[in-house]
Amino acid sequence: MNIHIYDNAEQIAKAVGTMIINAVNEKPDITLGFATGASPVPTYNFLSKAYEDKKVSFKDITTFNLDEYCDLPKSDKNSYYSFMHQNLFDRIDVKEENVNFLNGNAVDAEEECRRYDALIDSKRIDIQLLGVGRNGHIGFNEPANKFTKGSFKVRLTQSTIDANSVYFDENPMPRYALTMGTVSIMKSKQIIMIATGKSKQDAIYGMVHGDITPSCPASVLQLHPDVHIFLDREAAQRL
Ligand code: GLP
């Protein structure tokens, strides 16, 4: 694991954003895996600004997002589809037909997961961006007895509901989501994780120094040959 520690989120955004821009400039038809949550937002701002300044074009990239809530219309402001369009896709020149999401409203969730996995396998993700949950989840792979494989429907844990319900002011947040599985994430050629703040300290410690165990799903990243972890000092404090 390559661990990079910075003073603040802006510095992380610059470092991660620069890595992504260099990769896109080197391979314009790159496949990028994106994550939601607060952690990647400064990086998305950095990428949008770089596009505005004509330092990069995203017109030939393909994207896959890690996860999506179930039973929430795509148009809801809290869907991950809306989140990504607001924070990145509407601000750059990515083509809508090259943007891929799990459909959390699919009638047959298993079929939808198979469709998504086949599409990912046909492209292979070059760089997968990740955040981490306070309980060590990646995507929505919650702590469990065994590691997950492909995409699947998950019941969210209380820790995740507590962390994410702040975004749901009127309606209660969904209890289920579709997520890429651990094996799907691990198949990405390179993984970049961003984690900031005190609330991530334990998850980061478990991920880096703990046993490789599905009770801390992020610990599986110890087995990936090309992973970069970007932390601020608070998130890195227990290392
Ligand atoms: C959410 C997302 C994850 C994300 C994590 C951390 O539940 N499903 O993909 O990495 O929580 O979010 P944040 O960056 O807001 O702490």
Side-chain angles (χ1 to χ4, degrees):
M1 281 179 156
N2 302 288
I3 298 179
H4 312 264
I5 301 173
Y6 287 88
D7 285 336
N8 57 52
E10 294 320 307
Q11 289 177 6
I12 293 175
K14 189 174 174 199
V16 173
T18 303
M19 268 177 95
I20 294 175
I21 291 163
N22 289 343
V24 175
N25 283 332
E26 201 169 298
K27 183 182 178 189
D29 63 345
I30 196 168
T31 301
L32 297 176
F34 285 120
T36 53
S39 309
V41 170
T43 299
Y44 295 157
N45 290 336
F46 188 88
L47 294 177
S48 308
K49 177 81 172 48
Y51 166 70
E52 227 174 81
D53 295 345
K54 302 196 173 13
K55 291 187 177 138
V56 63
S57 165
F58 298 94
K59 72 179 174 45
D60 293 322
I61 69 165
T62 297
T63 75
F64 286 93
N65 257 81
L66 275 173
D67 43 20
E68 181 57 283
Y69 289 116
C70 291
D71 310 316
L72 192 68
K74 201 169 147 177
S75 56
D76 190 286
K77 72 173 171 50
N78 282 310
S79 76
Y80 284 163
Y81 177 89
S82 296
F83 176 97
M84 285 307 303
H85 281 77
Q86 232 173 38
N87 286 289
L88 185 64
F89 297 155
D90 288 349
R91 303 163 68 190
I92 60 175
D93 58 346
V94 63
K95 294 190 184 110
E96 182 63 24
E97 66 263 33
N98 292 340
V99 163
N100 296 288
F101 278 87
L102 281 155
N103 175 6
N105 295 300
V107 180
D108 186 340
E110 278 182 30
E111 176 57 34
E112 170 59 7
C113 290
R114 274 195 297 274
R115 177 195 70 83
Y116 204 62
D117 288 343
L119 206 56
I120 293 174
D121 283 344
S122 72
K123 290 279 183 186
R124 182 111 193 259
I125 294 173
D126 290 290
I127 302 176
Q128 175 66 56
L129 202 56
L130 285 184
V132 64
R134 296 170 194 180
N135 60 5
H137 76 231
I138 47 175
F140 269 136
N141 291 272
E142 298 280 30
N145 297 329
K146 54 181 185 175
F147 282 115
T148 57
K149 296 191 174 97
S151 301
F152 68 105
K153 182 171 181 172
V154 61
R155 187 181 164 84
L156 303 174
T157 60
Q158 196 56 47
S159 157
T160 300
I161 292 168
D162 291 345
N164 290 7
S165 52
V166 292
Y167 300 111
F168 290 80
D169 31 20
E170 298 135 29
N171 306 317
M173 81 166 255
R175 275 12 189 191
Y176 289 89
L178 300 187
T179 181
M180 270 166 65
T182 311
V183 171
S184 320
I185 294 171
M186 289 293 280
K187 279 186 193 167
S188 312
K189 289 185 202 160
Q190 183 176 61
I191 292 178
I192 300 179
M193 174 183 280
I194 300 174
T196 54
K198 217 175 165 168
S199 67
K200 303 292 170 72
Q201 275 175 10
D202 293 345
I204 296 301
Y205 179 82
M207 173 178 83
V208 176
H209 291 306
D211 292 340
I212 299 171
T213 162
S215 60
C216 176
S219 64
V220 76
L221 298 180
Q222 291 176 32
L223 299 174
H224 195 282
D226 191 4
V227 55
H228 291 264
I229 317 277
F230 288 83
L231 306 171
D232 68 357
R233 300 204 180 275
E234 284 191 334
Q237 205 174 332
R238 289 192 62 200
L239 296 185

